Amino acid sequence: EIVLTQSPGTLSLSPGERATLSCRASQSVSSSYLAWYQQKPGQAPRLLIYGASSRVTGIPDRFSGSGSGTDFTLTISRLEPEDFAVYYCQQFGGSAPYTFGQGTKLEIK
Amino acid sequence: QVQLVESGGGLVKPGGSLRLSCAGAGFTFSDYYMSWIRQAPGKGLERFSYISGSGDTIHYADSVKGRFTISRDNAKNSLHLQMDILRVDDTAVYYCARGVILDYWGQGTLVTVSS
């Protein structure tokens, strides 16, 4: 089973700042099969990024994904108030089980 | 537009059973893998089961294998989850989601297992 470790667990930043969230895999993951999700309190998760770097239609361009192999990053260039949420990475390559990281909580400083 | 609506959650005693459903609309249901994901209170996400569009490929995580059964009825655009031998640690919000990349999610249904 591929384990995804997200860091930091909690990130405290102010609106307008840049956020960098990390997702590290225990073994290599094809970039095609790495996605990022945003979850706000009381809501279902929402897909932001798939294929490690492709933004879903309608997602603002301040969100970007990068990485390959075992190291992936979600960057939010200039934080807006609505961006404060929990972010999860997920891998779904090869054989199951498909796994999520434990999440990074992005909170207002 | 794509819609997924879960139903069937509720309170059940340990050892009991529950059947969840997920109704899909706005897309060709049979074209897509469908998954069940759960989230225990205050915890992260667990993708514990999926089924292919035709139903011939099914996967279960070890945590539910032998207790839960996923199925689908493409004629009715519906996904189901039969949950048996429920345990306290099955308490969670249960989501259905579309496709391999989980591009659309339902709003979730709460399952509480407690005596």
Side-chain angles (χ1 to χ4, degrees), chain B residues 12-18 38 63-69 82-91 94 111 113:
Chain B
V12 61
K13 288 182 168 50
S17 297
L18 212 55
R38 65 183 180 180
S63 57
V64 306
K65 197 174 295 182
R67 301 187 300 119
F68 290 10
T69 303
Q82 177 65 41
M83 302 188 296
D84 298 317
I85 319 175
L86 282 160
R87 308 189 302 220
V88 171
D89 62 358
D90 293 319
T91 294
Y94 285 71
V111 172
V113 185

Side-chain angles (χ1 to χ4, degrees), chain A residues 32 35 37 39 43-47 50 88 90-92 96-98 100-102, chain B residues 37 39 43-47 50 59 61 95 100-108:
Chain A
S32 298
Y37 304 81
Q39 186 178 33
Q43 296 184 18
R46 174 174 71 147
L47 177 67
Y50 62 95
Y88 295 94
Q90 194 220 180
Q91 68 80 25
F92 47 94
Y98 303 146
F100 286 93
Q102 82 281 15
Chain B
I37 303 99
Q39 187 170 37
K43 302 297 184 183
L45 301 167
E46 179 190 15
R47 184 178 186 175
Y50 65 74
H59 170 77
Y95 297 100
V100 180
I101 64 170
L102 310 181
D103 57 354
Y104 287 91
W105 296 60
Q107 84 288 351

